[in-house]
């Protein structure tokens, strides 16, 4: 595929969305992002790297970190994880608490906040340092030793974190956390507040395009496991718009309210697009448009 | 791919599930199915056809017909369909009525019963005979002129149809049906009660593997449209176990309580497996096992 | 108590609500009511009758008929009724369907539509003519032989009745109706469409003030049963505003979207107020105000 | 009324329930209660005091304290309280979180845990010491200077309090708490863990039977306000069995999982019954039976 041409076309389409959507403003640290920033990068399985726009500029990884906590928890702890968290789409935001209630504190999937708290809890038990494990993995795969948690963002999340605290206590009331609520929340905020770029993320996510193999050739997980993570990404990775994202883009992907979306073209490449303005489901308007353009022009969706 | 070998392996795995799951018994006509029946067929895009076991024996198509009503409604009426029905996973069965209520009578997706009623309604407006349109399409693609609605099954569905009647009236109370409730229900029961076989279904579903082209080479829909139907199948096609099906099998597919599952390997083949015993989500135990075996051995999942 | 003075004060307060609330308009027959009509009547247990304003003008009884279907079903059939319908408040409108779903087709109480359908069904089994039984009871107690169902209103309800049909089919799907859905709906619409006046209703409702004794001195039900109906009226009689009505008025009462509210002062009197403009919960603004004034001035609330 | 005779009959009926229900065991401190304890007391508005069985033996007041936090918050702060908490019945336990979600963090009523947390928060703002205000009020009205929080119970509640912590954080996420979550929870546990007896509670609750007047003749609140608290007790005071309690007993009342129920006969008396075994709704089997017997024999229900 002619990635430079595809990235140029995707950027043009993304830039044409100027003015659509709103920058996340529930914490001041995110609200200050430049709404018209845009970057996009591709890393192919054979080692090529492409980028356009602000592709090397750091932004807040936010929920994209949930992809890495899931991968690391499965890699270190195996399938037992699925006893504490499901892998079904969650329907809509309204239902999340109902589901947690009716399903006895087992979150629907690892990518809603409730589920990510459980995964963080397990990774904390497995490694002793959940946020550190994510950070170290991102550093190693991207080769960027400066990549780190933005302490200001993490503090801001914690200060506005009553809802996540409610979820964590609720899960704990169902005996589905192994560590203290406070520790789980601290690691959760720390890995969501990592500052990273499209460049870093395509390199760090490439293990899913390479069917489980890391940058250094070692194996993080089996081919089957990598495929299965891709399936969870496709059905659950973009909040309550997973069906729409699959319909429009047709790739496994994980979005974050920092405006990034990391998507996988299995067997070929990892792609990341970033733009801070979000649609009502919390996905970046520019990034969805860019990825839609890329798959439409290249025909590279999984379907 | 060596389909004969794959089918043989899949059949062995499926037969080993003897005794697991329960035959649907909410209507007598389904309860009488032989629980140990098993059949499986593959139709490749280059015209080869393979089968094992009871692959030519008719069973009740049930919800698999929803795939065809969706395809025909989109082919005849276009994207306007999505104004009356969504394309997001529905979460779980419990939520269906809540969601219909909170989302103003717009069903979550075309494959839950509520959504299929809306699609049937639109297809009825577009063709004047929704059930006939589905039946004729299945006959033409399969080359089986005897394929038809089983009148006894349709009558039995209607006689036990209070829940579907409740859904239809509820949707009508939100002005989201264009035809009388009674007519919509009649066509709905008629297309769900079509008797068909694995052989017929792989031939009829092949247009999705051929990116929209029919058996005679004419185009039912564009390449993009066919891909998009595949994405809806993957995220919503197997009731409330769509996430699990994607995780285990990794193919777009549609199941029915008659015990069949029709799955698509985009660009390559359509596959159908059948066994009457159902798991708690309503999917055939034998068919899921057979498809899981096929994708695991062949590596042909979309991920 | 000086009822003439109390009624005069209540009328003044009610008339001062001009312009607040909206006349029910979901069917044309109700929408044509004069919004500024107001009437109020009191019938004491010792046989006195008082009225002000339009107290002898007929209006559509609507849900107030549910009080009489409940009383007659209990009088004819006894406590077995409570196996098919609960007596707990329903929370809020949003939840009604969820509750019906999670509680296996047993409606929360006899005064939500779902519950009234079950009570109508039982009364139909007990009497062969549920709507006729209600009409005859109202005629006998009020001494008004002309009191009858308004056929136009009943037809209009049926024509706009998709939501009630949905509820009835849903209950039937849980095997909680003994008669055909169509028959239950017909009787339900017929008793809700009875045209009656404040005068008729206070006479017909007096049996609850007289602890179960009818106008002719015969006993409809025991003292305990009458008290228990009053308790259900107080906790469930005014839709989702039962708590607020108890807080403001402090009497057992049943409201209807025709604008009437029939309330009971146990051991003393029945009171009915009517005004077509409704608040958001579906209760008459003028009638609530009038009853609030009456209990505040007289101190006659049950608390 | 012949209270000694009524209490003797009530005790007989209560003791006959031996073996029914289960002692609350979610915290060890409650689980150790003697299941066959039973006490009952009456305090009349003219100053007489009666008791049977273990009527002077302390038990954990638990949710009965919510009656006093409500009364004190209204007495000190007035009607503004109702902006942060509703006064409608909550339907069923399942719905509590859904309702909190759909109703933007405004709990349905002051007697579900979520609502009591809001009331505790307001009382904390009004007095600087919410638990102390409740304790002091109970001491003054009962004349029992030793009445106090059981520190062991309070600590045990806190240690098992993930669910209440979840509710508090959730309410805080909707900006409906004015004090820190930790402070609100501490005061909530402290007032729920007060050890008190039937004797103390009938004396402390008599202000509601006396229409707002305290033991020393001073006025805690107006006649109207006292009546309104009684109405909230009747519609919301016994968890999700408020309708059933009104149906069987017909008095305003508040229950606690310590096994006590405090009920009001407006204008006449306060009654408290206690027995540790609870039914599925969390109300004392013995206490409900005793109160049912008392109102049935005396005809003193409000209906």
């Amino acid at each position: 595929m002619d990635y430079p041409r595809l990235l140029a076309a995707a950027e043009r389409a993304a830039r044409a969305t100027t003015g659509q959507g709103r920058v996340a403003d529930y914490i001041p640290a995110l609200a200050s992002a430049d709404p018209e920033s845009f970057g996009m990068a591709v890393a192919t399985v054979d080692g090529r790297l492409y980028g356009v726009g602000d592709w090397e500029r750091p932004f807040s990884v936010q929920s994209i970190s949930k992809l890495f906590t899931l991968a690391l928890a499965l890699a270190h702890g195996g399938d037992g994880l699925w006893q504490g968290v499901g892998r079904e789409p969650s329907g809509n935001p309204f239902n999340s608490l109902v589901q947690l209630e009716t399903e006895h504190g087992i979150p629907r999937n690892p990518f809603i906040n409730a589920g990510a708290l459980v995964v963080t809890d397990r990774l904390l038990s497995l490694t002793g340092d959940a946020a550190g494990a994510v950070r170290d993995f991102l550093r190693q795969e991207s080769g960027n030793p400066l990549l780190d948690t933005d302490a200001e963002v993490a503090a801001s999340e914690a200060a506005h974190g009553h809802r996540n605290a409610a979820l964590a206590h609720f899960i704990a009331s169902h005996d589905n956390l192994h560590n203290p609520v406070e520790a789980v929340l601290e690691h959760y905020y720390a890995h969501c507040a990592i500052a990273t770029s499209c460049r870093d993320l395509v390199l760090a996510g490439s293990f899913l395009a390479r069917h489980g193999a890391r940058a250094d050739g070692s194996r993080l997980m089996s081919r089957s496991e990598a495929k299965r993570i891709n399936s969870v990404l496709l059905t659950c990775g973009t909040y309550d718009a997973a069906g729409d994202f699959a319909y429009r883009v047709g790739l496994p992907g994980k979005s974050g309210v920092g405006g990034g979306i990391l998507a996988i073209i299995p067997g070929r490449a990892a792609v990341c697009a970033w733009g801070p303005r979000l649609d009502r489901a919390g996905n970046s308007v520019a990034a969805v448009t860019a990825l839609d353009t890329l798959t439409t022009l290249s025909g590279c969706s999984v379907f």
Side-chain angles (χ1 to χ4, degrees), chain A:
Chain A
M1 284 201 281
D2 183 354
Y3 286 114
R5 190 185 58 84
L6 289 167
L7 287 178
E11 181 176 21
R12 271 194 305 278
R15 299 240 183 243
T17 65
T18 294
Q20 296 173 33
R22 291 187 52 197
V23 177
D25 58 2
Y26 70 98
I27 56 169
L30 292 179
S32 63
D34 172 7
E36 301 313 330
S37 307
F38 176 78
M40 192 168 184
V42 171
T44 68
V45 295
D46 53 12
R48 286 168 296 146
L49 179 65
Y50 306 91
V52 289
D54 305 309
W55 71 294
E56 296 180 295
R57 185 158 145 199
F59 58 88
S60 192
V61 72
Q62 295 293 317
S63 292
I64 302 175
S65 66
K66 295 172 183 171
L67 183 166
F68 298 102
T69 53
L70 173 64
L72 293 172
L74 285 171
H76 286 87
D79 269 4
L81 179 74
W82 301 119
Q83 293 173 359
V85 62
R87 51 199 184 220
E88 293 299 328
S90 69
N92 62 17
F94 160 75
N95 288 310
S96 55
L97 273 167
V98 191
Q99 287 175 335
L100 211 48
E101 177 87 353
T102 57
E103 297 173 13
H104 310 294
I106 310 290
R108 280 247 121 188
N109 68 60
F111 296 147
I112 55 174
N113 285 14
L117 287 164
V118 171
V119 177
T120 300
D121 172 71
R122 299 307 191 267
L123 188 58
L124 182 52
S125 293
L126 290 162
T127 65
D129 181 0
V134 173
R135 185 197 58 217
D136 291 349
F137 181 82
L138 291 175
R139 284 182 181 173
Q140 289 159 16
E141 298 300 297
S142 68
N144 175 359
L146 300 177
L147 182 153
D148 210 345
T149 291
D150 181 323
E152 186 197 350
V153 172
S156 193
E157 300 271 11
H160 294 78
H162 280 304
R163 198 180 175 90
N164 285 318
L167 290 171
H169 278 291
F170 195 67
I171 297 165
S173 78
H174 285 281
D175 292 322
N176 195 17
L177 287 187
H178 301 166
N179 296 281
V181 162
E182 292 69 23
V184 174
L185 287 169
E186 184 189 335
H187 281 270
Y188 177 81
Y189 294 135
H191 69 64
C192 285
I194 290 173
T196 181
S197 66
C198 291
R199 179 201 163 280
D200 296 340
L201 285 171
V202 289
L203 293 170
S206 284
F207 75 96
L208 286 174
R210 285 187 302 254
H211 299 313
R214 295 185 60 163
D216 63 6
S218 68
R219 185 154 284 281
L220 180 64
M221 56 181 59
S222 72
R223 186 179 188 89
S224 276
E225 285 171 324
K227 289 191 163 203
R228 288 172 171 174
I229 291 180
N230 281 338
S231 82
V232 183
L233 286 170
L234 192 114
T235 53
C236 315
T238 43
Y239 305 109
D240 312 307
D244 196 61
F245 188 81
Y247 189 84
R248 291 180 62 188
V249 175
L251 293 178
K254 184 73 206 82
S255 59
V257 294
I261 304 181
L262 172 59
I264 307 299
I265 311 176
R268 297 201 198 166
V271 190
C272 183
W274 169 59
R277 290 175 284 102
L278 308 179
D279 61 24
R280 283 196 295 181
N283 297 311
S284 165
V285 174
V288 172
T289 301
L291 291 165
D292 185 0
T293 302
L294 183 136
T295 56
T296 301
L297 292 181
S298 67
C300 71
S301 96
V302 299
F303 304 112

